[in-house]
Amino acid sequence: MLKRSLSKVAMTVTLCLTAGFGLAACGSSSPAATETTSGGAQYEVVSDADVASGLGAVTLLAARAQAESATSVETAKATVVEMFDKWYEFEGTIRVTDQPLYLELEDGLAKFKIGIQNSQPEKAVAGLEFFTAQSAKYLAAHPA
């Protein structure tokens, strides 16, 4: 069951890359802006190409952490930290442009993180699958 889930995640990552996540890095190099929400918090706003590239990178890091968790939970946890560091680079754009999908993406990442931290591979796989599905929805609504 877990092998099948990992294969499904690997296929999802491949599809995401083919769909444009990996190609988005060639997009705009415009400087990042910040936007203030009604609550006063500031979020970095980057280009759609940067978001697409970032979503692809987060997905790849999550898949790497998933694979690492089979041999070293500590290594997988370190990769999850790297994954979140990447997420923080562009999450503000998603939060500002599509709040409902932002919350869904956050839920997927949280579920994935808990699955890795607690050695619950099924939860991690489900979180990653949910994250990639929501990423695809975001990219369809906000093409690079």
Side-chain angles (χ1 to χ4, degrees):
M1 174 81 158
L2 180 58
K3 270 185 148 178
R4 189 170 356 142
S5 294
L6 288 175
S7 294
K8 193 173 182 182
V9 169
M11 185 170 36
T12 302
V13 169
T14 302
L15 288 172
C16 289
L17 288 172
T18 304
F21 283 139
L23 300 176
C26 300
S28 169
S29 61
S30 61
T34 58
E35 186 163 318
T36 304
T37 64
S38 59
Q42 286 195 350
Y43 298 97
E44 186 172 358
V45 177
V46 299
S47 71
D48 288 336
D50 289 339
V51 172
S53 176
L55 286 169
V58 166
T59 301
L60 289 173
L61 287 165
R64 187 175 94 198
Q66 182 70 40
E68 292 168 344
S69 69
T71 56
S72 172
V73 174
E74 292 309 312
T75 301
K77 287 179 183 180
T79 300
V80 168
V81 169
E82 186 180 346
M83 178 190 77
F84 272 94
D85 288 344
K86 178 51 95 175
W87 169 248
Y88 299 144
E89 292 177 11
F90 63 89
E91 71 164 329
T93 303
I94 299 171
R95 185 179 184 128
V96 169
T97 60
D98 199 326
Q99 183 75 27
L101 271 176
Y102 169 78
L103 295 172
E104 297 291 330
L105 288 162
E106 282 276 318
D107 286 348
L109 289 175
K111 184 181 241 183
F112 177 79
K113 180 179 179 180
I114 290 167
I116 294 295
Q117 289 178 334
N118 296 335
S119 297
Q120 297 173 318
E122 299 83 14
K123 184 174 272 193
V125 168
L128 180 53
E129 288 175 352
F130 187 73
F131 178 82
T132 56
Q134 300 314 306
S135 294
K137 285 182 186 178
Y138 182 85
L139 291 174
H142 306 275

